[in-house]
Amino acid sequence: MKKIFVPLAIMAVMTLAFTGCAGEEDDIFDKTAAERLNESSAKYSARLEAQPNGWAMQYYPTYYDESPFGSGYLILMRFNKDFSVDVSMDNRFSNNIYAEATSSWEVIKDNGPVLSFNTYNSCMHAFSDPEDIPWTEDNEQSEGCGGDYEFIIVDAPEDASYMMLKGKKRNTYNLLTPIEVGVDYKEYLADVKAFHNSIFPEVELASNLMYFGDSLYRMEGSNDGLPNVYPYAADAVANEFFNPFLITKRGNDYYLRFRDKFEKEFMTGTLQELRYDSIQDEFIGTDNPSWRITGYPKGRFFEERLLSNGQWQLNTNSNMSDKIKDQVTKVTASFKKKNVTFKGMLLKRVVDKAGEPHLTWQVKYQERGKGETNVSYRYSMERTDDQLTFAYLEPETAAAGNLLTLFDGTEDLLKEMLVGQFTVSKVENNFVLRVLKFTSTTDPDLWFELTTPATSSSVTP
């Protein structure tokens, strides 16, 4: 009996297991493939519709590393229950003006759920139209930008807190985040665009800095959203790495998110998204606060700008403290009494006949009926971090020496007020250093602003 009992027990277990599997098979295959795909389509359609004010799409047409093909584009879209979709943007593909268009959409069945903009939408399809891009130097006829208008739904959580799409043709990943109820699309895009230009202007005078903990990188060429990132002390071309980003706004916070994660051998984790901290005036990693993007050191930038033959201006309409303003007014009035117009001053680095470089303040003026004239005064400068110490040395010419006695207030301005130790600080923000403020370390009521010439209109993707 014992020999018979064991096989019978095994057979009983096998029978139960088979019965269980048969039940599971019935559960899995009690619906046809078409029914399951229809249910999937309805589920993801509902999640797209779940955000009443729609989504901000961080759209990347391709993986190229050149603008405009590799740049990202911010597109806003609202999916309606009647299967119409409202799409808005303000970028180069809309001639840098606000544009909106409505078309139809659906989640189609194609080896999984795919979001399709299935009728023509002048905003969405601008990136896939096979037409020449008029504002580039190349001819893209029959190719266009080459972007997608159908997207595989990769991740769409039930709470509709975000959605990750993958271009069906180009395989780029495009994140959708909700837009708060009550936010106007045109105002949102204008706000984000203005913020982008205020931090990353088209004329970039200094590189931005990226900190991965103790590791330091430069970030250059950010206005088009396609910066070159490379180690701080390395060659930009030999070590170039392009990683596009887009800025979005959630609540009152701006977020910078790179298309691709930074994964370095010295990092624990990855860096992809940073939040702008308005108090510290820098971007801070959402996962790790030691990952930061900030501007260039002010004192170092001032010095390097001079060393590269850059100039810094102090004009009669420059911002300055009352103490210096009163002195400049006195100088201006003194020049005017002698029918001479005081035109301001220029701080620059020059090289003398012996090949020795030195620093000069150049006083500019114009006598009636004559062209502009300038005379120069030699100074020394020392820098420690963001503090600079200026010392007056001597006039460069006899004419410069005579001017000190001819016009009241000039000597005091040059020898007393523009010398000593000054702290250099930002005027616009840490990223834009076209204007710098110099404040005396011994007298906070003695300060002035210097401007380095650089103007251009800003255009962002």
PDB file of all heavy atoms in Angstrom, residues 282-297:
ATOM      1  N   GLU A 282      20.176  79.952  -8.360  1.00  0.00           N
ATOM      2  CA  GLU A 282      20.824  78.851  -9.048  1.00  0.00           C
ATOM      3  C   GLU A 282      19.835  77.696  -9.166  1.00  0.00           C
ATOM      4  O   GLU A 282      18.800  77.664  -8.497  1.00  0.00           O
ATOM      5  CB  GLU A 282      22.086  78.410  -8.320  1.00  0.00           C
ATOM      6  CG  GLU A 282      21.849  77.885  -6.919  1.00  0.00           C
ATOM      7  CD  GLU A 282      23.151  77.558  -6.195  1.00  0.00           C
ATOM      8  OE1 GLU A 282      24.207  78.101  -6.581  1.00  0.00           O
ATOM      9  OE2 GLU A 282      23.106  76.761  -5.242  1.00  0.00           O
ATOM     10  N   PHE A 283      20.154  76.749 -10.039  1.00  0.00           N
ATOM     11  CA  PHE A 283      19.342  75.551 -10.197  1.00  0.00           C
ATOM     12  C   PHE A 283      19.919  74.457  -9.302  1.00  0.00           C
ATOM     13  O   PHE A 283      21.131  74.225  -9.304  1.00  0.00           O
ATOM     14  CB  PHE A 283      19.338  75.082 -11.656  1.00  0.00           C
ATOM     15  CG  PHE A 283      18.628  76.014 -12.593  1.00  0.00           C
ATOM     16  CD1 PHE A 283      19.322  77.037 -13.233  1.00  0.00           C
ATOM     17  CD2 PHE A 283      17.271  75.879 -12.836  1.00  0.00           C
ATOM     18  CE1 PHE A 283      18.670  77.897 -14.107  1.00  0.00           C
ATOM     19  CE2 PHE A 283      16.607  76.738 -13.700  1.00  0.00           C
ATOM     20  CZ  PHE A 283      17.308  77.754 -14.334  1.00  0.00           C
ATOM     21  N   ILE A 284      19.038  73.776  -8.575  1.00  0.00           N
ATOM     22  CA  ILE A 284      19.469  72.760  -7.625  1.00  0.00           C
ATOM     23  C   ILE A 284      18.797  71.437  -7.975  1.00  0.00           C
ATOM     24  O   ILE A 284      17.579  71.389  -8.222  1.00  0.00           O
ATOM     25  CB  ILE A 284      19.118  73.175  -6.179  1.00  0.00           C
ATOM     26  CG1 ILE A 284      19.827  74.490  -5.830  1.00  0.00           C
ATOM     27  CG2 ILE A 284      19.518  72.088  -5.191  1.00  0.00           C
ATOM     28  CD1 ILE A 284      19.470  75.037  -4.474  1.00  0.00           C
ATOM     29  N   GLY A 285      19.564  70.354  -7.991  1.00  0.00           N
ATOM     30  CA  GLY A 285      19.047  69.044  -8.345  1.00  0.00           C
ATOM     31  C   GLY A 285      17.896  68.617  -7.451  1.00  0.00           C
ATOM     32  O   GLY A 285      17.981  68.749  -6.225  1.00  0.00           O
ATOM     33  N   THR A 286      16.829  68.126  -8.039  1.00  0.00           N
ATOM     34  CA  THR A 286      15.672  67.706  -7.245  1.00  0.00           C
ATOM     35  C   THR A 286      15.969  66.446  -6.444  1.00  0.00           C
ATOM     36  O   THR A 286      15.318  66.191  -5.432  1.00  0.00           O
ATOM     37  CB  THR A 286      14.447  67.463  -8.145  1.00  0.00           C
ATOM     38  OG1 THR A 286      14.808  66.539  -9.175  1.00  0.00           O
ATOM     39  CG2 THR A 286      13.986  68.765  -8.786  1.00  0.00           C
ATOM     40  N   ASP A 287      16.940  65.652  -6.893  1.00  0.00           N
ATOM     41  CA  ASP A 287      17.287  64.427  -6.176  1.00  0.00           C
ATOM     42  C   ASP A 287      18.512  64.593  -5.280  1.00  0.00           C
ATOM     43  O   ASP A 287      18.692  63.817  -4.339  1.00  0.00           O
ATOM     44  CB  ASP A 287      17.541  63.283  -7.167  1.00  0.00           C
ATOM     45  CG  ASP A 287      16.281  62.870  -7.909  1.00  0.00           C
ATOM     46  OD1 ASP A 287      15.192  62.991  -7.320  1.00  0.00           O
ATOM     47  OD2 ASP A 287      16.388  62.442  -9.077  1.00  0.00           O
ATOM     48  N   ASN A 288      19.345  65.574  -5.593  1.00  0.00           N
ATOM     49  CA  ASN A 288      20.571  65.751  -4.823  1.00  0.00           C
ATOM     50  C   ASN A 288      20.979  67.226  -4.873  1.00  0.00           C
ATOM     51  O   ASN A 288      21.330  67.735  -5.931  1.00  0.00           O
ATOM     52  CB  ASN A 288      21.686  64.877  -5.408  1.00  0.00           C
ATOM     53  CG  ASN A 288      22.938  64.876  -4.552  1.00  0.00           C
ATOM     54  OD1 ASN A 288      23.245  65.853  -3.871  1.00  0.00           O
ATOM     55  ND2 ASN A 288      23.683  63.782  -4.585  1.00  0.00           N
ATOM     56  N   PRO A 289      20.935  67.947  -3.737  1.00  0.00           N
ATOM     57  CA  PRO A 289      21.243  69.387  -3.742  1.00  0.00           C
ATOM     58  C   PRO A 289      22.698  69.713  -4.045  1.00  0.00           C
ATOM     59  O   PRO A 289      23.032  70.875  -4.254  1.00  0.00           O
ATOM     60  CB  PRO A 289      20.854  69.827  -2.321  1.00  0.00           C
ATOM     61  CG  PRO A 289      20.909  68.586  -1.492  1.00  0.00           C
ATOM     62  CD  PRO A 289      20.520  67.472  -2.404  1.00  0.00           C
ATOM     63  N   SER A 290      23.579  68.704  -4.067  1.00  0.00           N
ATOM     64  CA  SER A 290      24.982  68.983  -4.413  1.00  0.00           C
ATOM     65  C   SER A 290      25.177  69.058  -5.922  1.00  0.00           C
ATOM     66  O   SER A 290      26.246  69.417  -6.396  1.00  0.00           O
ATOM     67  CB  SER A 290      25.902  67.912  -3.826  1.00  0.00           C
ATOM     68  OG  SER A 290      25.742  66.675  -4.489  1.00  0.00           O
ATOM     69  N   TRP A 291      24.125  68.731  -6.687  1.00  0.00           N
ATOM     70  CA  TRP A 291      24.150  68.907  -8.147  1.00  0.00           C
ATOM     71  C   TRP A 291      23.507  70.245  -8.458  1.00  0.00           C
ATOM     72  O   TRP A 291      22.316  70.462  -8.209  1.00  0.00           O
ATOM     73  CB  TRP A 291      23.397  67.768  -8.837  1.00  0.00           C
ATOM     74  CG  TRP A 291      23.996  66.421  -8.561  1.00  0.00           C
ATOM     75  CD1 TRP A 291      25.300  66.146  -8.268  1.00  0.00           C
ATOM     76  CD2 TRP A 291      23.313  65.165  -8.537  1.00  0.00           C
ATOM     77  NE1 TRP A 291      25.474  64.801  -8.075  1.00  0.00           N
ATOM     78  CE2 TRP A 291      24.280  64.162  -8.233  1.00  0.00           C
ATOM     79  CE3 TRP A 291      21.997  64.780  -8.759  1.00  0.00           C
ATOM     80  CZ2 TRP A 291      23.958  62.820  -8.131  1.00  0.00           C
ATOM     81  CZ3 TRP A 291      21.672  63.429  -8.670  1.00  0.00           C
ATOM     82  CH2 TRP A 291      22.643  62.463  -8.365  1.00  0.00           C
ATOM     83  N   ARG A 292      24.287  71.173  -8.998  1.00  0.00           N
ATOM     84  CA  ARG A 292      23.805  72.546  -9.172  1.00  0.00           C
ATOM     85  C   ARG A 292      24.257  73.110 -10.513  1.00  0.00           C
ATOM     86  O   ARG A 292      25.259  72.692 -11.069  1.00  0.00           O
ATOM     87  CB  ARG A 292      24.334  73.449  -8.058  1.00  0.00           C
ATOM     88  CG  ARG A 292      23.956  73.039  -6.659  1.00  0.00           C
ATOM     89  CD  ARG A 292      24.549  73.979  -5.610  1.00  0.00           C
ATOM     90  NE  ARG A 292      26.012  73.887  -5.560  1.00  0.00           N
ATOM     91  CZ  ARG A 292      26.844  74.900  -5.769  1.00  0.00           C
ATOM     92  NH1 ARG A 292      26.375  76.104  -6.082  1.00  0.00           N
ATOM     93  NH2 ARG A 292      28.150  74.743  -5.683  1.00  0.00           N
ATOM     94  N   ILE A 293      23.493  74.089 -10.996  1.00  0.00           N
ATOM     95  CA  ILE A 293      23.906  74.911 -12.135  1.00  0.00           C
ATOM     96  C   ILE A 293      23.863  76.357 -11.658  1.00  0.00           C
ATOM     97  O   ILE A 293      22.835  76.824 -11.145  1.00  0.00           O
ATOM     98  CB  ILE A 293      22.973  74.743 -13.342  1.00  0.00           C
ATOM     99  CG1 ILE A 293      22.966  73.295 -13.824  1.00  0.00           C
ATOM    100  CG2 ILE A 293      23.410  75.668 -14.487  1.00  0.00           C
ATOM    101  CD1 ILE A 293      21.985  73.034 -14.947  1.00  0.00           C
ATOM    102  N   THR A 294      24.959  77.055 -11.824  1.00  0.00           N
ATOM    103  CA  THR A 294      25.008  78.442 -11.377  1.00  0.00           C
ATOM    104  C   THR A 294      25.805  79.275 -12.374  1.00  0.00           C
ATOM    105  O   THR A 294      26.327  78.754 -13.355  1.00  0.00           O
ATOM    106  CB  THR A 294      25.620  78.535  -9.970  1.00  0.00           C
ATOM    107  OG1 THR A 294      25.476  79.868  -9.457  1.00  0.00           O
ATOM    108  CG2 THR A 294      27.094  78.161  -9.985  1.00  0.00           C
ATOM    109  N   GLY A 295      25.882  80.579 -12.105  1.00  0.00           N
ATOM    110  CA  GLY A 295      26.618  81.474 -12.984  1.00  0.00           C
ATOM    111  C   GLY A 295      28.102  81.482 -12.671  1.00  0.00           C
ATOM    112  O   GLY A 295      28.585  80.830 -11.738  1.00  0.00           O
ATOM    113  N   TYR A 296      28.826  82.230 -13.476  1.00  0.00           N
ATOM    114  CA  TYR A 296      30.279  82.331 -13.332  1.00  0.00           C
ATOM    115  C   TYR A 296      30.609  83.278 -12.180  1.00  0.00           C
ATOM    116  O   TYR A 296      29.878  84.243 -11.929  1.00  0.00           O
ATOM    117  CB  TYR A 296      30.867  82.863 -14.635  1.00  0.00           C
ATOM    118  CG  TYR A 296      32.279  82.448 -14.900  1.00  0.00           C
ATOM    119  CD1 TYR A 296      32.585  81.141 -15.250  1.00  0.00           C
ATOM    120  CD2 TYR A 296      33.327  83.362 -14.814  1.00  0.00           C
ATOM    121  CE1 TYR A 296      33.891  80.757 -15.514  1.00  0.00           C
ATOM    122  CE2 TYR A 296      34.628  82.994 -15.073  1.00  0.00           C
ATOM    123  CZ  TYR A 296      34.909  81.687 -15.417  1.00  0.00           C
ATOM    124  OH  TYR A 296      36.210  81.308 -15.667  1.00  0.00           O
ATOM    125  N   PRO A 297      31.709  83.061 -11.442  1.00  0.00           N
ATOM    126  CA  PRO A 297      32.086  83.992 -10.372  1.00  0.00           C
ATOM    127  C   PRO A 297      32.265  85.412 -10.907  1.00  0.00           C
ATOM    128  O   PRO A 297      32.926  85.617 -11.923  1.00  0.00           O
ATOM    129  CB  PRO A 297      33.414  83.407  -9.869  1.00  0.00           C
ATOM    130  CG  PRO A 297      33.349  81.956 -10.230  1.00  0.00           C
ATOM    131  CD  PRO A 297      32.599  81.893 -11.522  1.00  0.00           C
TER     132      PRO A 297
END
